[in-house]
Amino acid sequence: MPLLRLRLVAPLLAALALTACQEGPSRPACAAGETCLEFGNNTEPATLDPQKSNLVDEFQVIGDLNVGLTTDAPDGTPIPALAERWETSADGLVWTFHLREAQWSDGAPITADDFVYAYRRILAPETASIYAYLVFLLKNGAAVNAGEAAPETLGVRAIDPRTLELTLDHPAPYLPEMLKHLSFFPVPQHVVEKLGDAWVAPGNYVSSGPYQLVSWRLGEYIEVEKNPYFWDADEVCVDTIRYYPTPDQVTAERRVAAGELDINTGFQSNRLSRIEEAMPGHARTHISLATSYLSFNTREVAAFRDPRVRKALSAAVDRDFLTEKLLRAGQVPAYAFVPPGTANYVADGPKASFAGMGFEARQALARDLLAQAGYGADRPLEIEIKTGNTPDTTLIVQAIQADWQAIGVDVSLVQNEGQIAFAAYRMRDFDVGAMSWYADYNDPLTFLELLKSDTGAQNYGDYANPRYDALLAAANAEADLAARAKILAEAEALMLAEDALVPIYFVVNKALVAPRVTGWVDNIANFHRSRWLCVEGGGQGGA
């Protein structure tokens, strides 16, 4: 899932932070006897529809409002949610889920039919879900999405109101991991059919999880409160959560220090040592299942269809300088796309062909490859890097611009607000884009499937290789996990040999969490559902 950082009124927020430092914490009042959580969430969501979302910061809110058949434990591992238990057929293709007695936030029962409706809806071409490809896992999923099969042929069936049967296109032992993802959440058929897209508006939104939507003040905050119909409501500590867009990470850091925010899901990497000194106990860092990378627009930029150009640009990036000198928060140089520590994968995966070369040798290789492709002093390659405007990204792309200029490339930079940048990527309105991919589930397929020819908009570089697709299909048909891992590694090796993208570094999860917040468990998946959190003192303020 791509990580996005947006903009908003940084001068105003800075002024608020300064006032807070001078006069004490400024935060909304929390009702007597209740617990409130002020949550800095980086980005203003574009939607709260689980079947139309595609960004990590949206998932933070949607994942507090809703749950699926499984959900995230405090450590990010899958645990039963709307499904109490399940069985799997001997061939691994048919999964039968037994649903608990549960209700939507309006009191209506959650039934197996809500799942059937949701999975047909996400695959409907008119929904235009960027994540529809995940549901291709269900039998006939791809055909339904392409309009080549009727929705009724999809491998999902309500045996009775509390029994759901999923028939898969291929064995997927990692299915409980996938079912945590918002693409597999149910949606309230009785509301969506009545209101259409307006169902996600405050006052209309009906949720399946521990919280319900109260208000959305655009540019200020989204407010949710405990859902009294949630089956485990008595064990949910926090009564009210407000999620604030905090694109200016330094201002957000000050707001956490002042007690205005309890959490901010990010901080500027190169400020880690300063934060640890000034705000002991607040900084949380942990290795992540995520990779920062660049995509080439091969659809619109002819030069990027030449593998020599792609390899030259990838080889010329000084990853050691980026991680050790600029970011300095534990990021690791990446010469592959699948991060270390990913489950169900080989121990030492494939790497880019130039991974063992020193930087000067890589620069020489890059110049030679560009010359072979017809570029040089008399005909320089001219490209534009388009990015979101976060501090870390700004540092990275400026350094990459210098690396590429050193091999004779004419490079310009364009920075947009994050939502605008990602909209441009989806529309292929870019030359080179900078993004990060956070695992949707702990398996190499969440990374490698991104580059399948039929994935759609999130395959930003439009990589397409029939051999690559065939290897992923072979891996899907392989029940033995060790044999499957080797096939997936072969697929990644092929993609890296063709330099389909430019892996930059393996990401480190970064968050600021006030010591008064309890229940936060650092984990590689970086999923922190608010139902597990509490705030000492009820969230009444104080740093």
Side-chain angles (χ1 to χ4, degrees), residues 68 159 170 176 248 358 454 495 502:
I159 295 175
H170 57 78
D248 186 328
D454 63 355
M495 179 272 291
V502 182

Side-chain angles (χ1 to χ4, degrees), residues 95 203 410 476 507-508:
W95 294 61
D410 186 354
N476 285 336
V507 175
V508 168

Side-chain angles (χ1 to χ4, degrees), residues 371-425:
Q372 291 178 33
Y375 298 101
D378 296 333
R379 185 190 173 221
L381 176 63
E382 298 180 0
I383 57 178
E384 175 185 278
I385 306 175
K386 181 172 288 186
T387 73
N389 58 354
T390 67
D392 282 1
T393 302
T394 299
L395 286 172
I396 292 164
V397 296
Q398 288 176 345
I400 292 173
Q401 179 188 38
D403 289 339
W404 287 354
Q405 287 173 336
I407 60 170
V409 180
D410 186 354
V411 186
S412 60
L413 302 179
V414 172
Q415 287 191 301
N416 295 129
E417 296 173 356
Q419 291 282 12
I420 295 173
F422 271 85
Y425 298 159

Side-chain angles (χ1 to χ4, degrees), residues 487-508:
I487 298 171
L488 290 174
E490 185 180 350
E492 184 179 16
L494 173 61
M495 179 272 291
L496 293 172
E498 296 186 316
D499 297 281
L501 46 72
V502 182
I504 303 298
Y505 62 85
F506 296 123
V507 175
V508 168

Side-chain angles (χ1 to χ4, degrees), residues 12-78:
L12 175 58
L13 293 180
L16 288 172
L18 179 60
T19 301
C21 291
Q22 293 173 338
E23 300 179 3
S26 174
R27 54 190 284 156
C30 189
E34 294 194 351
T35 296
C36 300
L37 180 69
E38 310 301 322
F39 199 119
N41 194 40
N42 301 300
T43 299
E44 184 80 61
T47 182
L48 295 180
D49 187 330
Q51 298 182 326
K52 295 188 176 183
S53 167
N54 77 307
L55 300 173
V56 169
D57 297 331
E58 293 169 347
F59 194 15
Q60 179 62 55
V61 183
I62 295 171
D64 283 346
L65 290 167
N66 297 282
V67 293
L69 294 167
T70 63
T71 191
D72 297 285
D75 64 359
T77 57

Side-chain angles (χ1 to χ4, degrees), residues 121-136:
R121 178 178 183 258
I122 193 172
L123 289 171
E126 58 270 23
T127 301
S129 172
I130 202 168
Y131 264 122
Y133 73 91
L134 281 186
V135 190
F136 290 1

